[in-house]
Amino acid sequence: MVSCVVVTVLVLLLVRSAHSQHMAEEPCSVQILVPGLKGEAGEKGEKGAPGRPGRVGPPGDTGPPGLKGQKGIMGHYGKMGPSGLKGLKGDMGEPGPKGSDGDPGLPCECAPLRKMIGEMDNHVAQLTNELKFIKNALPSPAAVAGVKETDSKVYLLVKEEKRYRDAELYCQGRGGHLAMPKDAAANRAIAGYITEAGLSRVYIGINDLESEGHFVYVERSPMSTFSKWREGEPNNAYENEDCVELVSSGEWVDVACSLTMYFVCEFDKDRI
């Protein structure tokens, strides 16, 4: 083993010495390596092992819908929905069989009771008509101070301040006019009406808008039988007092038609 190592070392020393001499005798030179021509393609190798999966690509276009599947089994019942609208009233059914006769009542003197009941029925009917009249006459019952009746008229105090023309249009729109006291009884009734309501004055249906100094009722009938002017009235102060107010004392005063105040509507009783 030792002899082999010695031989190897000697060989290496001889090669190194020969190389040194050769390098000393030959000058240094630069060698350029040029690649050779492309060789023929080799045979196709065997198929290698599959590579690692690549990244997930972008989603593709939506495909056509598939075939309709079979109907599934019935699901659970849902919660009860809200109640629907009330239906129309059905037709009246057939009358039932007549019941048996009741026991005979006790004899009584019913004439006074019938009279009392008849009077109450009349009173209820009158109140019903008045209530219906008030509801139809005004959009708000709060604006009605009450109803005053005479033999032929119904007076309605409207507690909404309006100019004269607007007040008359308001009454006309409900089938009447501004109140027109054509006799002392009607004038007292209206004056008492506004006093009970705690008011001091209201418009009434008298004016001289068409002819200065010639006062007529609002439905253009002449004032030929009754008047109740306060002393010194009408005076046409400021030359623009063409309408009339009735004060709580029952007297009349000419005023400007542009003023706003409460008013009394008058309705024929047989037209209500």
Side-chain angles (χ1 to χ4, degrees):
M1 180 68 180
V2 174
S3 59
C4 290
V5 171
V6 171
V7 173
T8 302
V9 171
L10 291 175
V11 171
L12 291 173
L13 291 174
L14 290 174
V15 170
R16 181 177 180 183
S17 175
H19 180 69
S20 299
Q21 292 177 1
H22 180 73
M23 291 293 293
E25 294 175 357
E26 294 182 2
C28 294
S29 62
V30 178
Q31 295 181 356
I32 299 174
L33 300 178
V34 179
L37 298 176
K38 183 177 181 181
E40 298 291 333
E43 295 182 358
K44 183 176 181 181
E46 295 181 356
K47 183 176 181 180
R52 290 180 296 179
R55 295 181 180 179
V56 178
D61 297 333
T62 303
L67 299 177
K68 184 176 180 181
Q70 296 180 351
K71 184 176 181 180
I73 60 174
M74 182 181 293
H76 296 288
Y77 289 105
K79 294 182 179 180
M80 183 177 293
S83 301
L85 298 176
K86 186 177 180 180
L88 299 175
K89 185 177 180 180
D91 298 332
M92 182 179 292
E94 296 293 331
K98 182 179 179 182
S100 58
D101 294 337
D103 298 330
L106 298 175
C108 69
E109 294 294 333
C110 298
L113 292 176
R114 288 191 183 122
K115 182 180 179 182
M116 186 183 301
I117 292 173
E119 291 175 352
M120 291 178 63
D121 287 342
N122 291 336
H123 189 57
V124 169
Q126 181 181 358
L127 291 176
T128 302
N129 289 336
E130 289 181 0
L131 179 61
K132 193 179 299 182
F133 167 70
I134 291 173
K135 287 182 177 179
N136 293 334
L138 291 169
S140 172
V144 180
V147 177
K148 181 75 70 175
E149 291 189 44
T150 63
D151 292 339
S152 60
K153 302 289 184 181
V154 174
Y155 298 104
L156 189 72
L157 174 57
V158 181
K159 296 183 72 174
E160 290 185 11
E161 292 186 342
K162 293 184 179 293
R163 294 183 177 88
Y164 184 88
R165 293 182 185 273
D166 294 334
E168 169 58 15
L169 289 174
Y170 191 91
C171 294
Q172 285 184 14
R174 284 147 184 84
H177 290 285
L178 284 172
M180 297 172 286
K182 296 183 178 181
D183 55 47
N187 200 73
R188 283 195 302 272
I190 300 171
Y193 191 9
I194 64 173
T195 300
E196 292 172 5
L199 303 178
S200 59
R201 62 180 188 169
V202 294
Y203 271 135
I204 57 175
I206 300 173
N207 65 77
D208 68 344
L209 289 167
E210 294 186 358
S211 177
E212 178 60 39
H214 181 64
F215 284 87
V216 295
Y217 291 110
V218 72
E219 29 80 300
R220 291 185 173 80
S221 63
M223 293 174 52
S224 58
T225 58
F226 176 75
S227 66
K228 191 66 174 177
W229 294 107
R230 175 182 285 178
E231 184 177 353
E233 301 289 345
N235 59 11
N236 194 31
Y238 307 106
E239 298 183 354
N240 69 341
E241 296 185 341
D242 298 322
C243 296
V244 178
E245 66 178 6
L246 186 148
V247 297
S248 57
S249 64
E251 297 174 307
W252 302 350
V253 179
D254 62 337
V255 294
C257 302
S258 59
L259 296 177
T260 60
M261 67 177 75
Y262 297 154
F263 53 96
V264 177
C265 291
E266 172 185 303
F267 304 88
D268 291 332
K269 205 168 186 179
D270 57 357
R271 295 183 182 179
I272 297 176

